[in-house]
Amino acid sequence: MVRSVTSFGRSGLSDWLLQRFSAIVLALYTLFIVGVLLFTPDMSYEQWSGLFAQEWVKIFTLLTVLSIVIHAWIGLWTVGTDYLPKVWLRLLYQSAVLLVLFVYLIATVRALWGF
Amino acid sequence: MSQLTVSLYRYNPESDQKPRMQEFQLDLPEGKDLMVLDVLALLKEQDTSITYRRSCREGVCGSDGMNISGKNGLACITSLSQVVKNNKLVLRPLPGLPVIRDLVVDMSLFYKQYERIQPYLINNSPVPSIERLQSPEDRAKLDGLYECILCACCSTSCPSFWWNPEKFVGPAGLLQAWRFLADSRDQATEERLAKLDDPFSVFRCRGIMNCVNVCPKGLNPTKAIGHIRSMLLKQAT
């Protein structure tokens, strides 16, 4: 058993599963947004904000951004542990990735619920 | 007679600052498809300091794994017609492991990972008077697993093993891990699985299948890793 305290779920299996679940959510959201854009070619601001005023779209969007956070963290953590052998550089990189993902999450919540 | 240019990786830690490639010209007999190991023997006649491992010379012992024109393989069962392009052959040691001298690598990390998966039957029930029986069906599950000769061609072609050789078991070790997980006589399944559930040991495999591509015995470590993953999933969900 190799110890790791910075991976998302501490277990390879849970990271692997979450990576796949989050990928499905991301694929569904992509289909949803592409579908909306295709069926409403002349989208007005009112239509766009009307779409995101619906509670289920907000929740779906939040779920998608949470999936991005999890998916990106698991993937980029793997990349970092492969290519950055220096511990200080790896921790710096991991902190930077976490910060960016945190900002994504906060920005999404603010945009959706506007506080 | 046809001419062959062999570019050979040379490194002697006692005299060289760093490794270099040395070129040799070789006259090959017509109408014969030599093995790469034969070429090395001919080169050693030219320069006795050339160092490599070999033993059975028929693909059974796994000693002469090396990087042959960019692809890992056993020198003794790789013919020149398979690997020579434009009359040139490039020989390097297996990638990713420390070089001891010329084509000889230090396999300690590779063996350490093999040792880690406990490559032996664990069965604490009393030993029967004759042998532990297995049905033909259960025995068949070990086909494609037990044939591994530990030549390290697969693990040293795997980028995940290059970057994390102390943490990722590697395709060779994982093929053997599955060989004992799949064995009906083994009783340590849970104990074995518990040691593999971290983000490195098994899950560092990204499924690029370099291992399958190079295995001189035609085995499939990626498939074995998939089986281990499913077993972990079944056990934990």
Side-chain angles (χ1 to χ4, degrees):
Chain A
M1 183 70 125
V2 178
R3 251 169 69 80
S4 82
V5 294
T6 49
S7 70
F8 185 80
R10 309 290 184 271
S11 135
L13 184 68
S14 93
D15 280 8
W16 180 81
L17 257 181
L18 281 169
Q19 190 79 323
R20 269 132 197 90
F21 277 132
S22 55
I24 292 170
V25 174
L26 294 179
L28 291 176
Y29 195 79
T30 306
L31 287 176
F32 166 66
I33 288 293
V34 169
V36 166
L37 292 175
L38 280 180
F39 285 105
T40 42
D42 304 313
M43 176 89 75
S44 66
Y45 174 77
E46 284 72 29
Q47 281 173 308
W48 185 249
S49 80
L51 177 72
F52 281 90
Q54 298 175 66
E55 206 59 27
W56 74 272
V57 177
K58 289 183 180 183
I59 292 170
F60 191 18
T61 306
L62 182 65
L63 177 68
T64 302
V65 173
L66 281 174
S67 297
I68 289 176
V69 170
I70 294 169
H71 197 88
W73 176 247
I74 295 172
L76 293 174
W77 177 83
T78 307
V79 173
T81 48
D82 269 351
Y83 296 107
L84 300 173
K86 284 199 172 66
V87 178
W88 67 267
L89 192 60
R90 197 161 63 226
L91 285 174
L92 191 71
Y93 160 84
Q94 289 174 347
S95 314
V97 172
L98 275 181
L99 185 67
V100 170
L101 293 176
F102 182 67
V103 170
Y104 278 4
L105 191 63
I106 296 299
T108 306
V109 172
R110 284 196 62 164
L112 289 173
W113 279 279
F115 62 82
Chain B
M1 288 287 209
S2 65
Q3 271 252 321
L4 177 71
T5 306
V6 185
S7 180
L8 185 68
Y9 182 101
R10 301 302 307 271
Y11 177 61
N12 178 354
E14 284 164 20
S15 57
D16 298 337
Q17 290 287 321
K18 56 179 186 179
R20 66 201 151 88
M21 297 303 288
Q22 188 181 358
E23 291 221 335
F24 293 88
Q25 298 298 325
L26 210 58
D27 289 323
L28 295 178
E30 285 293 346
K32 258 188 164 178
D33 192 9
L34 294 183
M35 294 295 172
V36 173
L37 186 62
D38 301 328
V39 170
L40 278 167
L42 292 173
L43 289 181
K44 202 166 168 71
E45 284 175 16
Q46 285 186 26
D47 179 348
T48 52
S49 70
I50 294 174
T51 311
Y52 55 94
R53 288 194 182 110
R54 50 90 70 207
S55 181
C56 75
R57 57 101 188 97
E58 57 184 12
V60 175
C61 72
S63 304
D64 63 352
M66 59 187 70
N67 190 273
I68 306 165
S69 293
K71 188 179 171 187
N72 290 355
L74 297 177
C76 56
I77 54 168
T78 305
S79 62
L80 289 183
S81 60
Q82 289 172 277
V83 287
V84 170
K85 284 193 185 86
N86 303 321
N87 290 323
K88 189 160 183 183
L89 176 68
V90 185
L91 298 177
R92 295 170 183 271
L94 290 174
L97 292 176
V99 176
I100 296 173
R101 185 170 166 158
D102 294 347
L103 299 177
V104 176
V105 289
D106 180 355
M107 308 258 285
S108 307
L109 276 169
F110 176 78
Y111 292 136
K112 213 178 112 193
Q113 292 299 345
Y114 178 56
E115 190 185 3
R116 186 148 85 86
I117 58 101
Q118 299 178 290
Y120 39 82
L121 275 184
I122 300 175
N123 188 326
N124 294 323
S125 59
V127 181
S129 55
I130 306 175
E131 60 190 328
R132 294 193 196 278
L133 291 175
Q134 210 173 20
S135 69
E137 293 75 32
D138 282 339
R139 168 61 189 78
K141 288 179 188 160
L142 308 182
D143 288 337
L145 306 173
Y146 77 92
E147 297 94 330
C148 173
I149 56 174
L150 296 175
C151 63
C153 284
C154 60
S155 290
T156 58
S157 70
C158 174
S160 289
F161 188 73
W162 296 341
W163 312 146
N164 288 295
E166 314 86 8
K167 296 178 180 172
F168 176 50
V169 174
L174 289 170
L175 187 84
Q176 290 317 298
W178 175 242
R179 183 247 170 274
F180 288 97
L181 285 167
D183 196 310
S184 61
R185 298 162 298 178
D186 192 89
Q187 295 177 336
T189 306
E190 281 185 19
E191 181 191 317
R192 290 178 188 280
L193 288 177
K195 287 178 184 164
L196 297 173
D197 182 40
D198 60 86
F200 284 98
S201 303
V202 175
F203 289 93
R204 198 37 66 115
C205 168
R206 322 263 19 124
I208 62 165
M209 298 178 88
N210 274 12
C211 51
V212 182
N213 187 34
V214 298
C215 178
K217 309 300 276 187
L219 309 179
N220 192 334
T222 307
K223 201 170 152 194
I225 294 167
H227 285 306
I228 298 176
R229 216 185 267 140
S230 313
M231 210 174 196
L232 281 164
L233 194 64
K234 234 179 253 172
Q235 189 210 36
T237 50

